Amino acid sequence: MRGILLTKPESGFNAALTEIDEAGLMEGDVTVKVDYSTINYKDGLAITNKSPVVRKWPMVPGVDFAGTVSASSHTRFKPGDKVVLNGWGVGETHWGGLAQTARVKGDWLIPLPLSLSTRQAMAIGTAGYTAMLCAMALKRNGVTSEQGEVLVTGASGGVGSVAVALLSSLGYKVVASTGKLDQADYLKQLGAVEVIDRAELSAAGKPLQKERWAGVIDSVGSHTLVNACAQTRYGGTVAACGLAAGFDFPATVMPFILRGVTLAGVDSVMAPMALRTLAWQQIATELPLAKLDAFTTELPLEGALAAAADIVAGRVRGRLVIDVNR
Ligand code: NDP
């Protein structure tokens, strides 16, 4: 099979598009012919070796894939079934989606919702499924569209773009924070009512600031997350899923103890199957698929290498879909 292979011999790290012997596929009860994979931020870190995402060598990266089952001894899946996979350590400790074939545990797979193609599923990918987990956290905590504006940080990125499209289609007034002000029209096309400069949120601020947000989806971390909490209205919720600016959280407890703000952590990698199945069902019904094209760029497999460097450098808009057979 053709695929991206990451190796780390003593001579140093290497990432290359190459022919890979399928005999090397790791243990699993379902084999999948992959149609599409994606480049998420974490894939960028793995392929550029910028942080220790990969914990087994050699590794096929790609935390996401969508395709068709070609062989299965799992009770829930048979050849011909369309499936999607996100996370579970795939692309980190288990060979991942950036190759033409994948073999994984059937317990990790989700049947592709009928209304989605494999390409659409990867236009959504882990980033979009995480945006949905964040939106579910806001809803679970009672954040409604009548309560006021919701903030999305890192708005032009993968999680951010899907979050803007999703929340606006659910009727929320979405304010998009971005470092790419030249992408304001793009963000408004996705449904943002206002676009703000991320510089407004990225420096150290006061522990309690003017109350503005009913809810927040943050993929940036560090001071941005701290300021988002400090600006969240009484009883609001901040869903934190990312660290694009840093994993530090130099905060005070003031928003939590004086305004009853909830900080909801969101993890997609090990999320239980019931939650991820629900998230994908809701994506299929609540995300306006017509907006997918606006934030999707498709690349051939060899494009994954340059795309990885681009996403780590913050140069990517929206979502990157990889056609592994091109
Ligand atoms: P992207 O690179 O597509 O998006 C991140 C965005 O953050 C960028 O587009 C940029 O948006 C903004 N950004 C980048 N660097 C900085 C910076 N130094 N300061 C402030 N903003 C910055 O990545 P993804 O959307 O795929 O992932 C976003 C984050 O979420 C990552 O940290 C990723 O690891 C995390 N993540 C976590 C998951 C989980 O399970 N918890 C799952 C998926 C992702 P703009 O230019 O518009 O400001």
Side-chain angles (χ1 to χ4, degrees), residues 81-82 110-118 120 280-281 284-285 289:
D81 288 349
K82 303 274 185 202
I110 288 186
L112 185 72
L114 285 178
S115 60
L116 295 179
S117 67
T118 49
Q120 286 171 326
W280 274 99
Q281 282 165 355
T285 54
L289 296 181

Side-chain angles (χ1 to χ4, degrees), residues 32-49:
V32 178
K33 296 309 280 178
V34 179
D35 292 340
Y36 295 96
S37 183
T38 82
I39 296 291
N40 294 283
Y41 190 80
K42 188 187 264 181
D43 301 311
L45 292 175
I47 294 171
T48 57
N49 197 32

Side-chain angles (χ1 to χ4, degrees), residues 88-159:
W88 295 117
V90 170
E92 302 179 52
T93 55
H94 192 104
W95 281 14
L98 285 165
Q100 290 175 304
T101 308
R103 186 181 301 134
V104 294
K105 283 189 184 171
D107 288 349
W108 296 343
L109 291 167
I110 288 186
L112 185 72
L114 285 178
S115 60
L116 295 179
S117 67
T118 49
R119 186 179 184 281
Q120 286 171 326
M122 288 297 97
I124 295 158
T126 281
Y129 143 64
T130 302
M132 177 51 90
L133 291 178
C134 291
M136 289 163 79
L138 298 190
K139 285 197 273 183
R140 200 166 47 239
N141 288 332
V143 178
T144 64
S145 53
E146 294 78 42
Q147 290 169 350
E149 297 165 317
V150 293
L151 172 69
V152 174
T153 65
S156 76
V159 174

Side-chain angles (χ1 to χ4, degrees), residues 41 130 154-159 178-180 198 219 241-245 266 268 311:
Y41 190 80
T130 302
S156 76
V159 174
T178 183
K180 304 184 192 80
R198 77 180 185 205
S219 59
C241 72
L243 42 59
V266 170
S268 65
I311 200 165

Side-chain angles (χ1 to χ4, degrees), residues 29 43 49 56 104 115 121 127 147 171 206 223 287 306 319:
D29 47 10
D43 301 311
N49 197 32
K56 259 190 195 158
V104 294
S115 60
Q147 290 169 350
K206 289 187 181 153
H223 289 296
L287 182 66
R319 296 278 304 132

